[in-house]
Amino acid sequence: MKKISLGILLFTFLGLSAQNPEEPKNYQFTLQEAIDFAIDSSYATINARRDVAIALKQKWETTADGLPQIDGSVNYEYNAIIRQTPLPGELVGEEPGTFVPVQFTPKQNMNTSVTLNQLIFDGSYIVALQAAKTFLKYSDNNETRTKLEVRKDVVSAYGNVLLTQNSIGIIENNLENAKENLYETRKIYENGLAEEEDVEQLQITFQQLQSQLNNARRMRDISKESLNMVLGLPVSTEVVLLEDLENLANREAFQAEILTEDLQVENTIDFKIADNLVRQRELEMKLEKSKALPSLSAFANYGQTSFGDDFEFFSSRAEWFEFSTIGVSLNVPIFSSLQRSARTQKAKIEMKKAETQKTQAINQIKLQLNNAKSNFEFAVDNYELSKKNLELAERIEYKNQVKFKEGVGTSFELRQAQQQLYTAQNELLQSMLDIINSKAEIEKIINTPFTNFEK
């Protein structure tokens, strides 16, 4: 009985364990670790890798068109009502001018065959092979561009989480100070040493800070979920960020050598995609021209056929008769009412369009880079200015705080100084995020930090 009881307990424990869902996994990331994780696991990059796999299969599918094709077939026929064929009566001893119905088709017949087809020459096939390689290259370039976009999205989402976390800390500190000021001012007012307006002004500040804190907490949760989406994680996953916003901004700001790098347009992903489009259009024009060339193919088949009034094809009494055919097929285009010429001219125009788009892409890349560098320089300058403005705003707020407590300053002046301080704090946080995002934009354009993407 003891053994039975222990067995029941063990079985119950195992059953309960199997029913418990797996504990959610927690993650900790520096910014670079988050980027590496997203490059491997984000929804966009996963599908980009699948597009490359599809392109590989497409390439082999095109290649296989020129390789031997073998097909087998089995046909069975049952003639429920056999067609009657009239024969002249004199062939069977009847009077001339009469006809005798004869059945030539057996009641049942079956035949099996194997056919081999081999393409010998087709200009379209040669161009299609080149196009398949170009399509594979396009898929590779598109995967790289997706990784660049994911990297930029991770930087932005990661920075937004840090921004909201810092905002919460600052607002909580401001709220604590406002609460203390409100409490002290209310006590002074109750003792008749302060005006009601002083309390009301501080009450407005306190309520606004409380509302900002609630909103900041909501934004923190949303920004965390947005980061999880970019990383390819369920939105409820707990992710701990190991970077500090200020340290990250300082580190990015000091990397000013990015502004002095010479732009290698041919290394940018947008140029590669534009150049790839030109190549595709060239091949499309060659494809239309190749349709005017003859095509040659060969075939061979072998089979057996059997027939009779009864279904005995799988018995030893069945007789099977062999047949085989070998041949070639030559198809020569002669006249298409200028259809092929129109298609060729259309493809040529599309190629010219792609060349123009490539030229446009080169100039657009240069413009985007100049604009991104300008934004980065402005972000760095604005960051330094925001730090100085915050120092001034803190001193001004402190002076007004002292004046108000000593009775020589008004609550309105104190509130103005506090609002100025809160604005300076937010501007500093935003300037840090602007540095991070503007540098990420430059790196996306020039595509220099991503040589490790090519695998």
Short mmCIF file of all heavy atoms in Angstrom, two decimals, residues 37 44 62-63 69 90-91 100 106 138 145 164 166 170 182 208 230 249 260 266 270 275 321 326 330 335 341 368 441:
data_model
loop_
_atom_site.label_atom_id
_atom_site.label_comp_id
_atom_site.label_asym_id
_atom_site.label_seq_id
_atom_site.Cartn_x
_atom_site.Cartn_y
_atom_site.Cartn_z
N PHE A 37 20.68 40.82 -30.65
CA PHE A 37 19.54 39.93 -30.43
C PHE A 37 18.46 40.18 -31.49
O PHE A 37 17.90 39.23 -32.06
CB PHE A 37 18.98 40.16 -29.03
CG PHE A 37 17.85 39.23 -28.67
CD1 PHE A 37 18.11 37.99 -28.09
CD2 PHE A 37 16.52 39.57 -28.92
CE1 PHE A 37 17.07 37.12 -27.76
CE2 PHE A 37 15.49 38.70 -28.60
CZ PHE A 37 15.76 37.48 -28.02
N ALA A 44 11.05 41.07 -38.47
CA ALA A 44 11.44 41.54 -39.80
C ALA A 44 12.64 40.77 -40.35
O ALA A 44 12.66 40.37 -41.52
CB ALA A 44 11.75 43.04 -39.75
N THR A 62 14.72 27.67 -61.43
CA THR A 62 15.06 28.13 -62.78
C THR A 62 16.14 27.24 -63.40
O THR A 62 16.07 26.90 -64.59
CB THR A 62 15.56 29.58 -62.72
OG1 THR A 62 14.56 30.40 -62.11
CG2 THR A 62 15.85 30.11 -64.11
N THR A 63 17.13 26.87 -62.61
CA THR A 63 18.20 26.00 -63.12
C THR A 63 17.65 24.66 -63.57
O THR A 63 18.08 24.10 -64.59
CB THR A 63 19.26 25.79 -62.02
OG1 THR A 63 19.76 27.06 -61.60
CG2 THR A 63 20.42 24.94 -62.55
N GLN A 69 14.14 16.29 -67.62
CA GLN A 69 12.83 16.16 -66.97
C GLN A 69 12.26 14.79 -67.34
O GLN A 69 12.14 14.46 -68.52
CB GLN A 69 11.88 17.26 -67.45
CG GLN A 69 12.45 18.67 -67.34
CD GLN A 69 12.56 19.13 -65.90
OE1 GLN A 69 11.70 18.84 -65.08
NE2 GLN A 69 13.64 19.84 -65.59
N GLU A 90 -18.27 -6.19 -99.34
CA GLU A 90 -17.58 -7.13 -100.20
C GLU A 90 -16.29 -7.64 -99.59
O GLU A 90 -15.76 -8.68 -100.02
CB GLU A 90 -17.27 -6.48 -101.58
CG GLU A 90 -16.50 -5.18 -101.51
CD GLU A 90 -17.42 -3.96 -101.50
OE1 GLU A 90 -18.57 -4.09 -101.01
OE2 GLU A 90 -16.98 -2.89 -101.97
N LEU A 91 -15.77 -6.96 -98.55
CA LEU A 91 -14.55 -7.45 -97.90
C LEU A 91 -14.80 -8.72 -97.12
O LEU A 91 -13.88 -9.50 -96.87
CB LEU A 91 -13.96 -6.37 -96.98
CG LEU A 91 -13.44 -5.09 -97.67
CD1 LEU A 91 -12.93 -4.12 -96.63
CD2 LEU A 91 -12.33 -5.45 -98.66
N VAL A 100 -20.71 -3.56 -93.25
CA VAL A 100 -20.77 -4.45 -92.08
C VAL A 100 -20.15 -3.72 -90.89
O VAL A 100 -19.00 -3.25 -90.98
CB VAL A 100 -20.01 -5.76 -92.36
CG1 VAL A 100 -20.03 -6.64 -91.11
CG2 VAL A 100 -20.59 -6.48 -93.56
N PRO A 106 -10.68 -2.66 -78.33
CA PRO A 106 -10.96 -3.65 -77.28
C PRO A 106 -11.78 -3.01 -76.15
O PRO A 106 -11.86 -1.81 -76.00
CB PRO A 106 -9.57 -4.08 -76.81
CG PRO A 106 -8.69 -2.92 -77.14
CD PRO A 106 -9.25 -2.33 -78.39
N TYR A 138 19.46 40.59 -54.95
CA TYR A 138 18.48 41.56 -54.45
C TYR A 138 17.95 41.14 -53.08
O TYR A 138 17.81 41.97 -52.18
CB TYR A 138 17.32 41.69 -55.44
CG TYR A 138 16.12 42.40 -54.86
CD1 TYR A 138 16.10 43.80 -54.78
CD2 TYR A 138 15.02 41.69 -54.39
CE1 TYR A 138 15.00 44.46 -54.23
CE2 TYR A 138 13.94 42.34 -53.84
CZ TYR A 138 13.92 43.72 -53.77
OH TYR A 138 12.85 44.36 -53.22
N ARG A 145 19.36 45.60 -45.74
CA ARG A 145 18.61 46.82 -45.46
C ARG A 145 17.64 46.60 -44.29
O ARG A 145 17.48 47.49 -43.43
CB ARG A 145 17.83 47.29 -46.68
CG ARG A 145 17.03 48.57 -46.43
CD ARG A 145 16.53 49.20 -47.69
NE ARG A 145 15.55 48.38 -48.37
CZ ARG A 145 14.91 48.74 -49.48
NH1 ARG A 145 15.17 49.92 -50.02
NH2 ARG A 145 14.06 47.94 -50.06
N THR A 164 12.04 57.44 -20.79
CA THR A 164 10.87 57.40 -19.89
C THR A 164 11.28 57.02 -18.47
O THR A 164 10.73 57.54 -17.51
CB THR A 164 9.83 56.39 -20.42
OG1 THR A 164 10.44 55.10 -20.60
CG2 THR A 164 9.27 56.85 -21.76
N ASN A 166 14.19 57.69 -17.01
CA ASN A 166 14.79 58.88 -16.41
C ASN A 166 13.74 59.94 -16.10
O ASN A 166 13.83 60.64 -15.09
CB ASN A 166 15.86 59.46 -17.34
CG ASN A 166 17.14 58.65 -17.34
OD1 ASN A 166 17.15 57.52 -16.87
ND2 ASN A 166 18.21 59.22 -17.85
N ILE A 170 13.02 61.78 -12.46
CA ILE A 170 13.05 63.24 -12.28
C ILE A 170 11.71 63.76 -11.78
O ILE A 170 11.64 64.59 -10.86
CB ILE A 170 13.44 63.91 -13.61
CG1 ILE A 170 14.90 63.60 -13.95
CG2 ILE A 170 13.22 65.41 -13.54
CD1 ILE A 170 15.33 64.09 -15.30
N LEU A 182 4.23 72.29 -0.74
CA LEU A 182 2.80 72.46 -0.54
C LEU A 182 2.42 72.25 0.92
O LEU A 182 1.61 73.01 1.48
CB LEU A 182 2.03 71.50 -1.45
CG LEU A 182 0.51 71.52 -1.34
CD1 LEU A 182 -0.04 72.90 -1.69
CD2 LEU A 182 -0.11 70.45 -2.26
N GLN A 208 -0.16 68.95 -11.50
CA GLN A 208 0.41 68.75 -12.83
C GLN A 208 1.52 67.70 -12.80
O GLN A 208 1.63 66.86 -13.71
CB GLN A 208 0.94 70.08 -13.37
CG GLN A 208 -0.14 71.06 -13.79
CD GLN A 208 0.44 72.35 -14.31
OE1 GLN A 208 1.57 72.72 -13.98
NE2 GLN A 208 -0.34 73.08 -15.12
N VAL A 230 10.24 45.19 -31.37
CA VAL A 230 11.40 45.31 -32.26
C VAL A 230 12.35 44.14 -32.04
O VAL A 230 12.96 43.64 -33.00
CB VAL A 230 12.12 46.65 -32.02
CG1 VAL A 230 13.38 46.74 -32.88
CG2 VAL A 230 11.20 47.82 -32.33
N ALA A 249 24.62 58.71 -24.29
CA ALA A 249 24.66 59.93 -25.11
C ALA A 249 26.07 60.50 -25.17
O ALA A 249 26.53 60.93 -26.23
CB ALA A 249 23.69 60.96 -24.54
N THR A 260 33.66 62.88 -40.23
CA THR A 260 34.77 63.13 -41.13
C THR A 260 34.99 62.01 -42.13
O THR A 260 35.86 62.11 -43.00
CB THR A 260 36.07 63.35 -40.32
OG1 THR A 260 36.36 62.16 -39.57
CG2 THR A 260 35.90 64.52 -39.36
N GLU A 266 29.00 53.57 -53.18
CA GLU A 266 28.79 52.19 -53.63
C GLU A 266 28.65 51.20 -52.48
O GLU A 266 28.20 50.07 -52.69
CB GLU A 266 29.93 51.75 -54.55
CG GLU A 266 31.31 51.73 -53.91
CD GLU A 266 32.00 53.07 -53.92
OE1 GLU A 266 31.35 54.07 -54.33
OE2 GLU A 266 33.18 53.13 -53.54
N ASP A 270 21.26 51.48 -50.18
CA ASP A 270 20.32 52.06 -51.15
C ASP A 270 20.94 52.09 -52.55
O ASP A 270 20.23 51.87 -53.55
CB ASP A 270 19.93 53.48 -50.72
CG ASP A 270 19.02 53.48 -49.50
OD1 ASP A 270 18.35 52.45 -49.28
OD2 ASP A 270 18.99 54.49 -48.79
N ASP A 275 21.33 49.83 -57.97
CA ASP A 275 22.17 49.21 -59.00
C ASP A 275 21.63 47.84 -59.38
O ASP A 275 21.67 47.45 -60.55
CB ASP A 275 23.60 49.10 -58.47
CG ASP A 275 24.57 48.59 -59.53
OD1 ASP A 275 24.76 49.28 -60.54
OD2 ASP A 275 25.12 47.48 -59.34
N PHE A 321 2.80 -5.03 -74.98
CA PHE A 321 3.50 -4.71 -76.22
C PHE A 321 4.28 -3.41 -76.03
O PHE A 321 3.73 -2.40 -75.56
CB PHE A 321 2.51 -4.57 -77.38
CG PHE A 321 1.67 -5.80 -77.57
CD1 PHE A 321 0.42 -5.91 -76.94
CD2 PHE A 321 2.11 -6.85 -78.36
CE1 PHE A 321 -0.35 -7.04 -77.12
CE2 PHE A 321 1.33 -7.98 -78.54
CZ PHE A 321 0.09 -8.08 -77.90
N ILE A 326 11.83 8.50 -80.16
CA ILE A 326 12.92 9.45 -79.91
C ILE A 326 12.79 10.57 -80.95
O ILE A 326 12.54 10.30 -82.13
CB ILE A 326 14.30 8.78 -80.04
CG1 ILE A 326 14.44 7.66 -79.00
CG2 ILE A 326 15.42 9.80 -79.87
CD1 ILE A 326 15.73 6.87 -79.12
N LEU A 330 12.24 21.65 -82.84
CA LEU A 330 12.83 22.95 -83.12
C LEU A 330 11.71 23.96 -83.31
O LEU A 330 10.83 23.79 -84.16
CB LEU A 330 13.71 22.89 -84.38
CG LEU A 330 14.35 24.22 -84.80
CD1 LEU A 330 15.34 24.71 -83.75
CD2 LEU A 330 15.02 24.07 -86.17
N PHE A 335 7.30 35.48 -87.24
CA PHE A 335 6.66 36.79 -87.30
C PHE A 335 5.66 36.90 -86.16
O PHE A 335 4.84 36.01 -85.95
CB PHE A 335 5.95 36.96 -88.66
CG PHE A 335 5.32 38.32 -88.82
CD1 PHE A 335 6.11 39.46 -88.88
CD2 PHE A 335 3.95 38.45 -88.90
CE1 PHE A 335 5.53 40.72 -89.04
CE2 PHE A 335 3.36 39.69 -89.06
CZ PHE A 335 4.15 40.83 -89.12
N SER A 341 9.10 43.18 -80.78
CA SER A 341 9.80 44.46 -80.86
C SER A 341 9.22 45.45 -79.85
O SER A 341 9.98 46.18 -79.18
CB SER A 341 9.68 45.03 -82.27
OG SER A 341 10.27 46.31 -82.35
N GLN A 368 20.77 62.91 -47.88
CA GLN A 368 20.38 62.33 -46.59
C GLN A 368 21.53 62.33 -45.60
O GLN A 368 21.34 62.61 -44.41
CB GLN A 368 19.86 60.91 -46.80
CG GLN A 368 18.50 60.83 -47.48
CD GLN A 368 18.09 59.40 -47.76
OE1 GLN A 368 18.91 58.48 -47.75
NE2 GLN A 368 16.81 59.20 -48.03
N GLU A 441 21.05 57.21 -37.40
CA GLU A 441 20.62 57.51 -38.77
C GLU A 441 21.82 57.60 -39.71
O GLU A 441 21.78 57.11 -40.84
CB GLU A 441 19.83 58.82 -38.78
CG GLU A 441 19.37 59.27 -40.15
CD GLU A 441 18.36 58.34 -40.78
OE1 GLU A 441 17.68 57.59 -40.04
OE2 GLU A 441 18.25 58.36 -42.02
#
